[in-house]
Amino acid sequence: MFDFDMLGLSPSLNTALQNANFTQPTPIQNQAVPLALAGHDIMGLAQTGTGKTLAFGLPLIDHLLAEPGKPAPKTAKALVLAPTRELVNQIAESLRPLVAGSKLRIATVVGGQSIGRQINLLARGTDILVATPGRLIDLMDRRAVDLGEVRHLVLDEADQMLDMGFIHALRKIAPRLGTPRQTMLFSATMPKQMEELSRAYLKDPKRVQVAPPGKAADKITQSVHFLPKAEKPGKLREILDRDPGALTLVFSRTKHGAEKLMKGLVADGYNAASIHGNKSQGQRDRAIKGFRAGDISVLVATDVAARGIDIPGVAYVINYDLPDTPDNYVHRIGRTARAGREGEAIAFCAPDEGDLLRQIQKVMKTEVPVASGTFPEGEAGAGTGRRPGGQRRGNRGQGKPASAAPSKGRRPRRRRAA
């Protein structure tokens, strides 16, 4: 069954979708693609993992296929801005199969890579430029890129760009873009600043929304373990040993904490790697590649990976440390249960993280079921102190509450790559 042909895309693009094994559009694609094809500016709101990349990528490619002529040197016809290197690479990887067989070119520019090589790449021009704002401004300052021919602008994960201070970069980039142009803004949340951003850069946008901001994907089973900080390492190993080889993404709050946790896991025989801001782009790319291939089964990350990792096979997301920003919890756990699959999100909550958990539950408008432990009186969830009694999914052999104490004095068994 192929349903993309109902969206009004060109025959060649429908063929590319079929060759890439895409058959049915997601709700955000169903809503956004026809409006974007008609030329409207788009404000898209959808939780992570719902197919936002194709929601803007399909109409973008369709428009470019209909435009004659190749790009002039140093120019681009379309610009996609994303906040992180990982997300830039993921967007490009998602779009490349859809331009296979056409003359459209996709180029990426991010920090942490040779700027000289990127200057040479842009010298011949490109149809779609996917970039992080900081590196793009570096290239603009060196006069290596001319954005005057850009007629399509996409701001992906715009809320995270605001959080990371990229609004100042956007103010430098926007005046250099061509006009008239179509602008599409996609975000998982809708802070007040986003309304201001849309008024500044979008013209009479059509708003599409498929899930309330802060809502996690329906197929994610959530649970929380209340435990002292010192017991987190043992609980993590206990959970990892229940499903050896399953792809597990573990989030740490700090770069130092992520690296220390990863080294401890490797010392105990786990196939683990880490990605964070102190890693080079090459190291980060190799870690994600190994994780996607199953050569690495445990990836420890900071919030640099909360958005930008699209690996359908991630079975578990473990919040070793709760995030400082509630919205980041939703983005983190959205790394599992992707592409219609099921997934499990497990959180560790130490006594000093109680306020963070309350904020997370307030944003999600629901309580996370308790798998083990109890919170200090007056601190649990909405202040009830009750244990919701979360159960783990039985299809992983976990039909009872995860309340067993972590084993002591036993070295976790070594595991082979999945």
Side-chain angles (χ1 to χ4, degrees):
M1 184 177 182
F2 183 74
D3 291 337
F4 277 99
D5 55 5
M6 304 296 292
L7 299 182
L9 298 166
S10 65
S12 61
L13 191 48
N14 278 329
T15 299
L17 283 164
Q18 288 178 308
N19 292 338
N21 296 318
F22 290 106
T23 56
Q24 291 182 299
T26 65
I28 188 69
Q29 293 162 10
N30 264 325
Q31 292 187 42
V33 171
L35 292 171
L37 286 175
H40 295 289
D41 283 6
I42 301 293
M43 175 180 282
L45 293 173
Q47 63 204 29
T48 186
T50 54
K52 287 183 287 183
T53 301
L54 290 194
F56 65 75
L58 289 174
L60 180 61
I61 292 172
D62 195 275
H63 284 307
L64 293 178
L65 287 172
E67 294 178 9
K70 63 180 182 179
K74 296 186 180 182
T75 69
K77 293 184 177 182
L79 174 64
V80 181
L81 291 176
T84 67
R85 307 168 190 173
E86 283 73 22
L87 188 53
V88 164
N89 292 334
Q90 175 189 305
I91 291 169
E93 289 174 8
S94 298
L95 298 184
R96 283 196 173 103
L98 303 180
V99 300
S102 75
K103 295 182 179 181
L104 297 184
R105 293 198 298 265
I106 299 175
T108 62
V109 292
V110 299
Q113 294 183 351
S114 168
I115 195 167
R117 190 176 302 162
Q118 293 172 356
I119 289 172
N120 292 335
L121 176 68
L122 293 175
R124 64 173 185 164
T126 187
D127 295 281
I128 301 174
L129 177 60
V130 191
T132 51
R135 176 49 61 93
L136 181 60
I137 287 178
D138 290 342
L139 291 163
M140 291 165 55
D141 290 343
R142 294 174 185 237
R143 298 184 179 180
V145 61
D146 178 0
L147 301 179
E149 298 300 315
V150 171
R151 292 294 186 271
H152 305 276
L153 172 66
V154 177
L155 306 176
D156 194 22
E157 301 290 4
D159 51 348
Q160 189 181 14
M161 281 200 277
L162 288 175
D163 291 342
M164 297 172 69
F166 285 139
I167 184 65
H168 304 294
L170 184 59
R171 288 174 181 148
K172 291 182 179 180
I173 294 169
R176 305 283 190 91
L177 302 175
T179 55
R181 65 176 178 267
Q182 180 186 43
T183 302
M184 292 183 276
L185 182 154
F186 283 80
S187 177
T189 61
M190 190 64 184
K192 289 183 179 179
Q193 272 188 297
M194 196 66 65
E195 292 284 1
E196 299 172 7
L197 192 68
S198 67
R199 287 196 295 269
Y201 298 106
L202 278 69
K203 182 178 180 180
D204 299 323
K206 298 294 184 181
R207 179 166 172 156
V208 294
Q209 181 173 340
V210 298
K215 184 180 184 298
D218 293 333
K219 293 189 177 182
I220 299 176
T221 300
Q222 299 182 63
S223 63
V224 60
H225 294 269
F226 295 120
L227 74 176
K229 185 177 181 180
E231 293 182 9
K232 287 185 177 184
K235 177 61 71 174
L236 174 62
R237 287 155 175 78
E238 175 194 340
I239 293 171
L240 293 176
D241 283 342
R242 290 177 184 152
D243 198 351
L247 295 187
T248 304
L249 185 55
V250 181
F251 281 102
S252 171
R253 187 177 298 119
T254 67
K255 294 177 285 190
H256 174 73
E259 192 68 11
K260 181 180 178 181
L261 180 57
M262 179 274 291
K263 289 180 177 178
L265 290 171
V266 170
D268 284 343
Y270 295 90
N271 292 317
S274 64
I275 58 172
H276 50 71
N278 285 347
K279 294 283 188 177
S280 70
Q281 186 60 43
Q283 289 173 318
R284 287 156 66 166
D285 290 344
R286 286 191 294 274
I288 292 176
K289 183 178 179 180
F291 189 55
R292 179 176 280 111
D295 298 328
I296 295 167
S297 57
V298 183
L299 185 63
V300 185
T302 57
D303 279 323
V304 71
R307 313 186 202 193
I309 292 184
D310 184 10
I311 301 175
V314 174
Y316 300 96
V317 169
I318 299 177
N319 279 285
Y320 190 85
D321 300 313
L322 292 179
D324 293 324
T325 305
D327 288 334
N328 279 354
Y329 174 86
V330 179
H331 300 312
R332 286 179 177 188
I333 69 175
R335 300 306 101 197
T336 187
R338 300 181 75 82
R341 292 172 171 82
E342 294 184 346
E344 187 160 355
I346 302 167
F348 295 169
C349 183
D352 62 351
E353 295 176 296
D355 188 55
L356 296 177
L357 180 62
R358 284 200 304 272
Q359 294 176 42
I360 289 166
Q361 294 182 142
K362 181 178 179 180
V363 167
M364 295 197 304
K365 297 181 174 60
T366 185
E367 291 189 15
V368 179
V370 179
S372 71
T374 56
F375 219 71
E377 185 66 27
E379 290 288 326
T384 64
R386 293 196 303 266
R387 175 173 173 159
Q391 297 285 328
R392 299 169 65 84
R393 289 201 313 277
N395 62 347
R396 298 188 192 277
Q398 301 159 348
K400 56 185 179 181
S403 57
S407 58
K408 296 181 180 180
R410 180 176 65 83
R411 182 184 178 91
R413 61 180 176 274
R414 290 185 178 271
R415 58 183 65 198
R416 296 178 181 174

